[in-house]
Amino acid sequence: MSQDLRDIVRAEFEQAFGTTPAGVWSSPGRANLIGEHTDYNDGFVLPFAIDRRTFAAVGLRDDARIRVGSTFSDEIAEIALDELSPDVVSGWAGYPLGVVWALGQLGHADLAAVPGLDIMLESDVPVGAGLSSSAAIEGAVAFAIDELWRLGLDRVQLARVGRTAENEFVGAPTGIMDQMASLLGRDDSAVFIDCRTQEATAVDLGLAEHDLTILVIDTQVEHAHASGGYRERRASCEAGAAALGVPALRDVTVDDLPRAKELLDDVTFRRVRHIVTENQRVLDTVETLRTQGPRAIGELLDASHRSMRDDFEISVPELDLAVETAQAAGAIGARMTGGGFGGSAIALVPRELVSRLQVAVDGAFAEHGYGQPVTFTVTPSEGARREV
Ligand code: ADP
Ligand code: MG
C-alpha cells in the first residue's frame, strides 16, 4: 500500500505541477492506547503511530509562491508566502499552509527569504475516524520543509510547528499529542508523553512477540455536538482545577479525590475523577508494559472506557457496544479512543481472534440496527521519515 502511495503522489505531483518533486516524505496517523482528555490537563498520554500514512511530494520553486494539491480535492490552492495568514485560507489547505505559516510564526524560518514550494498530498489515513489524519499531514509537510529549507529542527520542534498550525491557523483547539505521536513513533512502541513538560519516551509494546494486534472499530458515527462537547469538558476541567486551587488537574492525585468530592458539584467531580484516574492509568499502563508486558494491560483499557462512559460521559451507544462486543469475543482489553461522541474504539486482541471479533462486532451492530462499522488492524509504526 505504502509503496503504491509513494508512486501515486509522485505521479500526481508531476501531473499537477509539471516538474519532478525533490523528494517524498511521510508521517503516520496515530491511535491513542490510553490517556484521553488528559493532554489539555497537563497530564499523560500514551499514543502510538499507526501503519497508515500521509505522503507529501514536495519541490522547491524559483519564486516565493506556494501551491498545494491533494488527491482529496481537484483544486490546487495557491498563495504567496508573504500573504499567508489564518484569515485568507480555509478548508483542507489550511493544514499544509498552516505548517508553513507556523514555521515563520515560531521564528524557525524567515518567510521573506525562503524559496516557494509545490506540495502534493496523498494518504491512507482515514479522515475523521479519530486517527489524526490532520497530524499526519502536518508531520509530513513539516518534516519535508525542515529538510528542504535546511532548518535543522528536531522532531519535538516539528510537532510544535504542527500544533501551532492546527491551533492558530486552522483554528482547532487540540493538544500536542497527535503531532508528537506522528513524529516520534517507533515500530512496536508507544510514545509516552508528559504533556506538561512535553517530554516524550518510547515505550516498548511487545505486540509482535506476544502475537497481539490492535483492532480499530470505526463506528462511523460522527456527532454534531462533538466540538461543543469538547469545549464543555475542557471548561469543566478548568473549573475543577480552579476550585481545587491547582494550576491543572495534573496536580490532583487519586488520594485527593475524597476531598474533591466534598468541594465540587457532582458533574464537575466526575469530570475531575476521570482525568485524575486516567492519568494514573496511563502511568500504570507504562509500568505494566515494562514489567509484565502487553497481555497484562487489559483491565486498564477496560477501566479507561468505563471512566469515559460513566464519569466523563463522552461515549455513545455505538462505542459502548463495540467495546462490550470486543471484550466478550476475546479482546484482552478495549476502549473508545479519541475525543469521543463518535469515532473509533480500539481492542487489544490475540492475532488469531481478529476475524472472530470482526464478525462479532458486525453482527452486534446489525442486531442493534446500527450502521455497519469499519474494522481494521493497526500496527504501531515508525514516525515521520523521508521515503525517496
Ligand atoms: P482527524 O481525526 O482525521 O485528524 P480532523 O478534523 O482533525 O480529523 O482533520 C481532518 C481534516 O484534515 C479533513 O477535514 C481535511 O481538511 C484534512 N485532511 C485529512 N486528510 C487529508 C488529505 N489526504 N488531503 C487533504 N486534506 C486532508
Ligand atoms: Mg485531527
Side-chain angles (χ1 to χ4, degrees), residues 21-36:
V24 175
W25 290 259
S26 75
S27 202
R30 64 97 189 98
N32 192 16
L33 186 62
I34 193 161
E36 222 65 74

Side-chain angles (χ1 to χ4, degrees), residues 6-340:
R6 221 180 285 163
D7 296 340
I8 290 168
V9 77
R10 277 183 80 90
E12 294 273 346
F13 183 102
E14 283 162 16
Q15 200 187 359
F17 302 127
T19 57
T20 308
V24 175
W25 290 259
S26 75
S27 202
R30 64 97 189 98
N32 192 16
L33 186 62
I34 193 161
E36 222 65 74
H37 286 256
T38 45
D39 58 348
Y40 56 81
N41 290 291
D42 274 4
F44 306 107
V45 291
L46 191 63
F48 60 91
I50 61 174
D51 54 333
R52 296 206 173 209
R53 312 180 69 89
T54 294
F55 294 77
V58 186
L60 291 171
R61 294 171 57 86
D62 301 331
D63 60 13
R65 299 189 72 75
I66 305 192
R67 291 187 293 180
V68 200
S70 162
T71 41
F72 215 69
S73 147
D74 296 335
E75 262 174 65
I76 301 279
E78 180 169 353
I79 190 164
L81 276 167
D82 63 3
E83 282 168 12
L84 276 177
S85 108
D87 318 320
V88 299
V89 179
S90 62
W92 65 269
Y95 294 89
L97 293 176
V99 167
V100 178
W101 175 84
L103 284 167
Q105 201 67 12
L106 295 174
H108 296 314
D110 176 1
L111 296 190
V114 286
L117 301 159
D118 286 329
I119 302 171
M120 180 57 70
L121 302 170
E122 174 57 88
S123 179
D124 62 4
V125 185
V127 175
L131 298 173
S132 209
S133 63
S134 57
I137 300 184
E138 292 150 9
V141 170
F143 206 74
I145 298 176
D146 175 65
E147 190 178 327
L148 289 175
W149 283 355
R150 301 173 193 276
L151 302 177
L153 301 174
D154 64 33
R155 287 169 186 262
V156 174
Q157 288 176 304
L158 294 175
R160 290 196 193 115
V161 166
R163 184 201 185 172
T164 301
E166 186 139 356
N167 291 174
E168 295 175 32
F169 199 88
V170 176
T174 58
I176 190 90
M177 166 168 78
D178 299 357
Q179 293 81 12
M180 294 274 262
S182 185
L183 279 147
L184 294 165
R186 292 205 199 151
D187 282 340
D188 209 5
S189 299
V191 186
F192 170 55
I193 305 165
D194 179 334
C195 297
R196 172 164 279 170
T197 63
Q198 297 190 349
E199 262 174 283
T201 323
V203 178
D204 191 14
L205 285 169
L207 301 188
E209 184 195 332
H210 290 265
D211 219 13
L212 300 175
T213 189
I214 290 166
L215 183 70
V216 174
I217 305 161
D218 179 0
T219 63
Q220 304 273 84
V221 175
E222 216 179 313
H223 274 237
H225 59 278
S227 61
Y230 180 87
R231 266 196 303 277
E232 241 179 72
R233 296 303 181 281
R234 256 187 111 127
S236 289
C237 292
E238 279 163 25
L244 296 170
V246 291
L249 292 181
R250 153 69 172 276
D251 302 300
V252 181
T253 67
V254 173
D255 291 339
D256 297 327
L257 286 174
R259 188 178 72 94
K261 193 176 170 77
E262 281 170 22
L263 283 171
L264 304 172
D265 65 85
D266 174 60
V267 170
T268 309
F269 172 67
R270 288 186 294 112
R271 304 297 187 249
V272 167
R273 182 165 61 185
H274 166 70
I275 300 300
V276 172
T277 57
E278 186 79 350
N279 271 329
Q280 189 58 49
R281 280 187 290 270
V282 175
L283 297 175
D284 291 348
T285 302
V286 170
E287 182 63 17
T288 304
L289 283 166
R290 284 179 179 150
T291 54
Q292 299 172 60
R295 285 186 179 268
I297 66 168
E299 174 48 30
L300 290 161
L301 302 180
D302 295 348
S304 172
H305 186 77
R306 290 194 299 272
S307 180
M308 288 187 281
R309 184 191 62 196
D310 302 337
D311 275 354
F312 220 56
E313 296 182 278
I314 54 172
S315 190
V316 293
E318 290 87 345
L319 284 167
D320 292 340
L321 182 67
V323 165
E324 284 154 25
T325 307
Q327 287 161 343
I332 288 169
R335 58 185 286 278
M336 56 150 283
T337 183

